Amino acid sequence: MLKIYLIISVASLLLFTSCSEKQERHDIIVPVPKAEVKKGPQQMKPIKQERDVTWLGKEYSVFVLRSVDKNLPLVKDENGQEYYDNTIEVNVRRADGTDAFRRKFTKQNFSSCAGSSNVAKEGGLLGIVFDRVEGDNLVFAVSVGSPDVQSDAFVPLVMKIDRTGNFSMSLDTQIDSNAGDEYEEDGV
């Protein structure tokens, strides 16, 4: 009887030990995300900006409105996805409500400055943003490039509007020296 009890005890011990030595696996298996295939032309979101500025010793409001224009030729991102291009209206309004400057721009307005790269040829008009007052000029940053919001492929341009309402455009060749100052102030 003692032999049977001893055999059962050893068998139980071996069974318990083999179960306790079994290691749990914590592998996490995640399927590879598939790239979303979009059908048909996509469009960028409309954007409206308003900013009050002092220019030529007087107060002005600068309005910029980006709108999708389905009548313009389609543009493409780096992956060949088609998008509708944009028109961007710039309006500089005096304090009395009259317009000092008002014009709608398309990518075609900037083609002479944007160059002949694929980004400039196939991309769209991404944005016009008021930057600063410089002497008698209002200075705007302009970008032409890939319409994909996750892309950083674009051509930076500068547009200046003078006191008479004439505007000029050029390729932006200056590094934004103020960007580093903002980060230093934040302690980054």
Side-chain angles (χ1 to χ4, degrees):
M1 179 90 162
L2 189 56
K3 279 186 171 184
I4 294 177
Y5 178 72
L6 189 59
I7 291 174
I8 292 174
S9 296
V10 170
S12 296
L13 183 63
L14 286 175
L15 183 61
F16 179 73
T17 305
S18 67
C19 288
S20 66
E21 289 180 12
K22 193 175 200 180
Q23 295 180 353
E24 291 185 36
R25 297 186 70 162
H26 296 287
D27 295 340
I28 299 173
I29 300 173
V30 178
V32 176
K34 294 181 182 178
E36 183 180 331
V37 178
K38 298 175 184 173
K39 295 184 180 182
Q42 302 298 303
Q43 61 187 33
M44 292 174 265
K45 293 181 181 178
I47 296 175
K48 182 177 183 178
Q49 302 167 336
E50 179 180 345
R51 187 154 169 207
D52 294 328
V53 298
T54 301
W55 179 43
L56 305 170
K58 297 182 180 178
E59 295 300 313
Y60 291 84
S61 294
V62 177
F63 300 92
V64 179
L65 177 63
R66 179 176 83 181
S67 303
V68 173
D69 190 334
K70 294 183 179 181
N71 295 319
L72 293 172
L74 294 174
V75 296
K76 297 179 184 177
D77 66 11
E78 296 98 337
N79 299 317
Q81 173 65 52
E82 292 183 322
Y83 287 78
Y84 293 110
D85 204 351
N86 303 304
T87 58
I88 300 179
E89 183 175 354
V90 177
N91 185 358
V92 180
R93 190 172 294 155
R94 295 178 189 94
D96 66 3
T98 60
D99 293 338
F101 180 88
R102 182 182 211 121
R103 181 169 176 141
K104 275 191 179 180
F105 293 93
T106 65
K107 178 178 82 168
Q108 188 63 32
N109 295 113
F110 302 98
S111 62
S112 64
C113 297
S116 61
S117 68
N118 280 347
V119 171
K121 280 194 250 179
E122 294 186 7
L125 179 57
L126 304 179
I128 298 177
V129 178
F130 175 75
D131 185 21
R132 66 187 181 278
V133 173
E134 184 179 87
D136 289 350
N137 297 310
L138 294 174
V139 181
F140 294 81
V142 179
S143 56
V144 174
S146 174
D148 182 356
V149 295
Q150 296 183 1
S151 175
D152 60 357
F154 69 96
V155 177
L157 304 168
V158 175
M159 179 176 72
K160 294 181 180 181
I161 299 173
D162 69 16
R163 65 175 39 233
T164 63
N166 293 318
F167 62 95
S168 62
M169 296 167 273
S170 62
L171 187 62
D172 188 358
T173 58
Q174 297 294 321
I175 296 175
D176 188 5
S177 60
N178 294 334
D181 296 341
E182 290 175 20
Y183 292 117
E184 289 175 8
E185 289 176 7
D186 291 340
V188 176

